[in-house]
Amino acid sequence: MTVERTLSIIKPDAVAKNVIGKIYSRFEDAGLRIVAARMAQLSQAEAEGFYAVHSERPFFKDLVAFMTSGPVMIQALEGENAIARNRELMGATNPQEAAPGTIRADFAESIDANAVHGSDGPDTARTEIVYFFGEDALGA
Ligand code: UDP
């Protein structure tokens, strides 16, 4: 059994829709535990730093503008295979391609306003958890 932690963000579109609780229920029903959480209004520098890997992509400027357009809810999730499990719950990046019953299929409108972020692997999960919560949130 691999107990992992992953970084999740409920993006401004989903916070505006008032579905934080519904999304949290999906995490909990799937066996993921919220071990750190905070609501934040990201600054431009914080959003740019978080998405630095995408800085050369054509959508980068719009992505940063979107992520700073309103409050986000940031959490670290813990559970068995938490990284992959959260990605399954989220669904595909483009909500039009996301499987029925996934968070993006149910709550997202478009590829740029797609409701949630989730770390895509162990290295990014560690980096992203430390980015928002510091080393202590990495767990044992
Ligand atoms: N994104 C976008 N346009 C694109 C591709 C991605 O606006 O053509 C945004 C989208 O919000 C996505 C984020 O950039 O969630 C990061 O992209 P990634 O490919 O890492 O997708 P994710 O891991 O979020 O599914």
Side-chain angles (χ1 to χ4, degrees), residues 11 51 54 57 59 63 87 90 92-93 104 111-112 114 116-118 120:
K11 296 185 179 183
Y51 278 120
H54 292 309
R57 308 280 289 275
F59 57 81
L63 176 59
R87 298 286 304 187
M90 290 164 56
T93 307
R104 283 168 166 167
I111 192 162
D112 13 52
N114 62 2
V116 278
H117 166 85
D120 62 4

Side-chain angles (χ1 to χ4, degrees), residues 29-101:
D29 291 348
L32 298 178
R33 179 173 294 274
I34 296 153
V35 293
R38 72 181 164 96
M39 185 171 264
Q41 169 66 57
L42 297 183
S43 67
Q44 177 150 338
E46 279 175 316
E48 286 175 351
F50 182 72
Y51 278 120
V53 65
H54 292 309
S55 63
E56 301 303 320
R57 308 280 289 275
F59 57 81
F60 181 67
K61 206 162 164 263
D62 289 344
L63 176 59
V64 169
F66 171 64
M67 291 300 287
T68 57
S69 67
V72 296
M73 192 72 201
I74 312 167
Q75 44 283 324
L77 306 175
E78 181 184 85
E80 202 177 332
N81 297 318
I83 298 166
R85 191 162 289 184
N86 181 43
R87 298 286 304 187
E88 279 168 27
L89 294 175
M90 290 164 56
T93 307
N94 184 347
Q96 265 72 52
E97 293 164 11

Side-chain angles (χ1 to χ4, degrees), residues 8-22:
S8 158
I9 302 177
I10 301 178
K11 296 185 179 183
D13 58 322
V15 172
K17 274 190 185 165
N18 201 23
V19 292
I20 293 171
K22 288 190 170 128

Side-chain angles (χ1 to χ4, degrees), residues 119-140:
S119 309
D120 62 4
D123 291 343
T124 42
R126 273 190 293 275
T127 307
E128 292 176 357
I129 288 170
V130 171
Y131 189 80
F132 285 120
F133 295 110
E135 299 269 344
D136 286 353
L138 289 175

